[in-house]
Amino acid sequence: MRLAWHSGFASRARARLGGLGSIIMLHRVRPDCTSPLGVNRSLSISPAFLDKILVSLKSEDIELVSMDDAVARIKSGSQGGKRFAAVTLDDGYSDNLHHAYPVFQKHRAPFTIYTTPGLVDGAAVLWWEVLELLVAKADFIKAPNGQEWRCVTMFQKRATFYALMRYFTETLTELQQIPVLQQLCETHGLICGVPADRDVMSWKELRQIASDPLCTIGAHTIHHYNLKRLTAEMVSFEMRQSADMLEEKLGKRPVHFAYPYGSAKAAGEREAILAAQEGFASAVTTRHGTIHAEHRAHMHILPRISINGRFQELVYAKTMMSGATTPIANAGRRVVQA
Ligand SMILES: [Zn+2]
């Protein structure tokens, strides 16, 4: 990416590949971006880096817009005006309020938080974070199916974490994940939740941030399940129920949706059809890509540009938003949809 930028390839690519703009994906924004095993490190960027990104976007005359505006621009398909960037944050981490919000306020930058009511109420758990704490603490882990992992050294711990991720996302069903995690936590003397400072926003905090016109609240299902692993009825339920609950708690029905995990393994054509049927104006994935006029016909499977906490350098973000990396990440395709 450095080469793409410094050789001028990215800036030349921008005219053809940059399209109408980008939907930026973030998760956590906090000063301390460490994670015990480093495995969830990519999910966090610092408030200072967020500030840098917003300064850079403005200096390049890119307009910071809400998801409502992004949708309007995609529908109109106008290439004539300025390119846009819509900043989105998944899962509703409390650091969004404490550390990201002040930066958005400073720049008067609109942002969207895709919120999971189950995470707020405790029906769902940030299980990838709990799993990291569990592996950091334990020297030996035995899964209910008899699989065992020795995890004493950092190398073993990281390998165990990824093995357990596969076990949780491929062997277990979505509905089995939390009960099994709870059982493992009990065995190792951990509470199956995360400490308050790593947690998600409460309803009170969500109401606070949602009251700012800069903030849009989007839906992100109730339980944060991989929707491709559920029946169509369950998918529709997760979508509708999360919008219902957010409307009930925050007084406004969300019209934008993000697929949990959002990869090709977690959201596809069936999910896009169901999101449209549930009345969402847009639905975003975690697939890599910039936004083009052609996306007008694919409003429920929009790609995003993920800002990875492992590489907090402006040159990466700028190169990705130029569109130069879109064909590289997508087998040569300029326009990424299902
Ligand atoms: Zn998520």
Side-chain angles (χ1 to χ4, degrees), residues 27 90-91 128 220 224 260-261:
H27 286 84
D90 288 12
D91 303 329
W128 49 95
H220 196 41
H224 208 280
Y261 313 111

Side-chain angles (χ1 to χ4, degrees), residues 127 168-169 172-181 229 261:
W127 64 267
F168 270 72
T169 57
L172 296 178
T173 66
E174 295 300 296
L175 276 70
Q176 285 171 329
Q177 285 169 349
I178 300 307
V180 169
L181 185 65
R229 301 182 81 213
Y261 313 111

